[in-house]
Amino acid sequence: MLARTADRLVRRMGTHLATDAGMKRFGLANAMRLGRLYNRIRYRQRWHRHVEAFRTNLPALLRENGGDAKFPPTLRMKDGWALDTSHRLPHLDRLIEQAGEIIRQRGGREHSDIQYPFLRSLLFPGDLEKYPAFLDFVTSTELLATVIDHLGIIPVLSKVRPPGVRFMESNVELDPDRHLPPRDSQLYHIDFYDSPQVYVLVLMEDVTAESGPWTFLPASTTDRVAKELGYRGRGYGYRVKDDDIYQWVDKSEEIVFAYPKGTVLFIDSSRCFHFGSRNAVKPRFMVMYGLQSPCRLDFAYSYMRHDHFPIPNGASRLREMVLGKFDA
């Protein structure tokens, strides 16, 4: 009875702290500290398992996973981000091919899975089994080495919102409120789910300024702007209006992720202000992976439905850990 009561209280608190009103009242930084404390206790076995694997067994795990086992990796994140334009990451060609099939079937069409009116998911239930390149790509040794180097721990793909694997279309033609000013994820914000965390963003078609490209500020610039704004403090919300941002930073300091198909961005979205999907008059198709520590800084695992990733027989131990086989 006591445990069930505690779970209900955590769910209620977590739901409230995820709202803009809750963030302002409690302070997002305070909520994140509380979430870290709770999750490190609630999921302590998972946390220690991933920490120990990183500290004592990482070279063997990378070799077992195949590919280039170099660590530290050649591609390293600096100032909160790294860009790969080589088109050489394993399984990238397969990912583009399989994503292209989905685009031909579903792109530009309305369907039920809508995150925001201007941003829609193209992945349906069962797609990760049907299109295995989505998970083969994100669990490749070369990609994971860059992520692990930044996080300092064996990561996991998020099993709650935002999902660990997303294939999103931004398309102004699908937005019935396209006349409105920027809103929701179209406004600058810094993610609060975990910190550090890494998003791996992969362009499935060429992206130009007309595609509503992902736009961000490097971590050092973000730190300066966030301090001036009092961001994450009590009384401050999650999204930031342009006028508030641009009084502290010039637009020339923005980095716009407008590149050819197959370009990959590694970014710590908990350290870098970012937005996207503004006025995508040319549809943008992008795969997004959310890689985090085994213990997030919010309470989402306490009250949200958990996704489960397919794990093939004979998968490496590293792949099993990233996909959450040993979650407890």
Side-chain angles (χ1 to χ4, degrees):
M1 176 68 73
L2 183 60
R4 286 197 298 271
T5 301
D7 286 343
R8 284 196 297 270
L9 289 174
V10 169
R11 285 195 295 271
R12 186 178 303 169
M13 178 176 62
T15 304
H16 177 64
L17 291 178
T19 66
D20 202 58
M23 293 175 189
K24 288 181 178 179
R25 183 174 297 113
F26 194 70
L28 189 49
N30 291 330
M32 293 168 71
R33 283 190 284 268
L34 183 62
R36 181 191 298 275
L37 176 63
Y38 171 79
N39 289 322
R40 289 286 179 88
I41 296 172
R42 174 66 178 82
Y43 303 109
R44 58 188 177 278
Q45 292 182 345
R46 179 193 305 175
W47 172 258
H48 289 304
R49 183 185 301 119
H50 283 247
V51 169
E52 284 303 305
F54 171 77
R55 290 176 177 172
T56 65
N57 208 24
L58 180 59
L61 290 171
L62 291 171
R63 286 195 302 271
E64 180 186 302
N65 200 49
D68 184 0
K70 183 186 299 183
F71 195 87
T74 302
L75 181 64
R76 306 186 74 178
M77 296 173 62
K78 297 179 182 179
D79 208 9
W81 65 288
L83 189 70
D84 182 88
T85 60
S86 71
H87 212 100
R88 295 175 184 171
L89 286 171
H91 308 291
L92 178 58
D93 287 336
R94 290 177 55 233
L95 176 62
I96 293 173
E97 179 183 356
Q98 293 178 14
E101 182 178 335
I102 294 174
I103 292 172
R104 290 188 292 273
Q105 293 174 2
R106 305 168 189 168
R109 295 174 173 85
E110 294 188 11
H111 52 81
S112 59
D113 191 359
I114 300 173
Q115 182 172 10
Y116 300 117
F118 49 81
L119 186 64
R120 297 174 184 242
S121 172
L122 296 180
L123 282 182
F124 290 178
D127 277 350
L128 294 183
E129 291 91 348
K130 185 177 181 181
Y131 302 104
F134 279 84
L135 292 182
D136 291 343
F137 176 76
V138 74
T139 56
S140 65
T141 298
E142 290 84 344
L143 185 150
L144 287 177
T146 297
V147 175
I148 293 170
D149 179 58
H150 181 73
L151 296 182
I153 195 171
I154 305 297
V156 296
L157 277 172
S158 171
K159 289 188 172 185
V160 295
R161 285 202 177 272
V165 183
R166 288 182 282 174
F167 184 16
M168 310 302 292
E169 175 183 3
S170 300
N171 188 340
V172 71
E173 292 300 321
L174 298 176
D175 183 1
D177 299 318
R178 69 194 71 170
H179 61 283
L180 294 177
R183 62 207 193 276
D184 298 315
S185 65
Q186 295 174 330
L187 292 171
Y188 264 119
H189 59 283
I190 311 173
D191 290 342
F192 61 90
Y193 320 111
D194 199 9
S195 186
Q197 66 174 17
V198 176
Y199 268 15
V200 180
L201 311 181
V202 193
L203 300 182
M204 294 295 102
E205 296 286 353
D206 294 351
V207 168
T208 67
E210 291 74 35
S211 308
W214 225 73
T215 302
F216 68 95
L217 300 175
S220 57
T221 305
T222 293
D223 289 344
R224 172 170 55 83
V225 175
K227 182 178 180 180
E228 296 289 354
L229 292 172
Y231 188 77
R232 287 183 173 165
R234 296 184 67 180
Y236 212 100
Y238 183 35
R239 315 289 186 183
V240 185
K241 294 180 179 180
D242 285 2
D243 289 346
D244 293 334
I245 288 285
Y246 296 133
Q247 67 175 319
W248 301 112
V249 66
D250 190 86
K251 279 186 68 69
S252 63
E253 297 183 64
E254 292 177 332
I255 299 174
V256 180
F257 188 38
Y259 284 86
K261 175 171 62 177
T263 305
V264 182
L265 174 66
F266 295 77
I267 183 164
D268 188 335
S269 60
S270 72
R271 292 288 318 284
C272 299
F273 268 124
H274 59 277
F275 70 82
S277 303
R278 290 190 185 184
N279 196 30
V281 294
K282 176 185 175 183
R284 187 198 74 194
F285 298 97
M286 187 166 73
V287 175
M288 308 174 69
Y289 298 100
L291 290 143
Q292 307 163 336
S293 77
C295 294
R296 289 165 51 129
L297 302 187
D298 64 4
F299 297 88
Y301 277 97
S302 301
Y303 66 92
M304 287 186 176
R305 180 184 63 83
H306 292 204
D307 293 328
H308 295 282
F309 300 110
I311 303 175
N313 293 331
S316 72
R317 289 178 294 168
L318 181 59
R319 180 167 178 149
E320 289 178 336
M321 294 182 75
V322 171
L323 298 183
K325 179 177 181 178
F326 305 109
D327 286 358

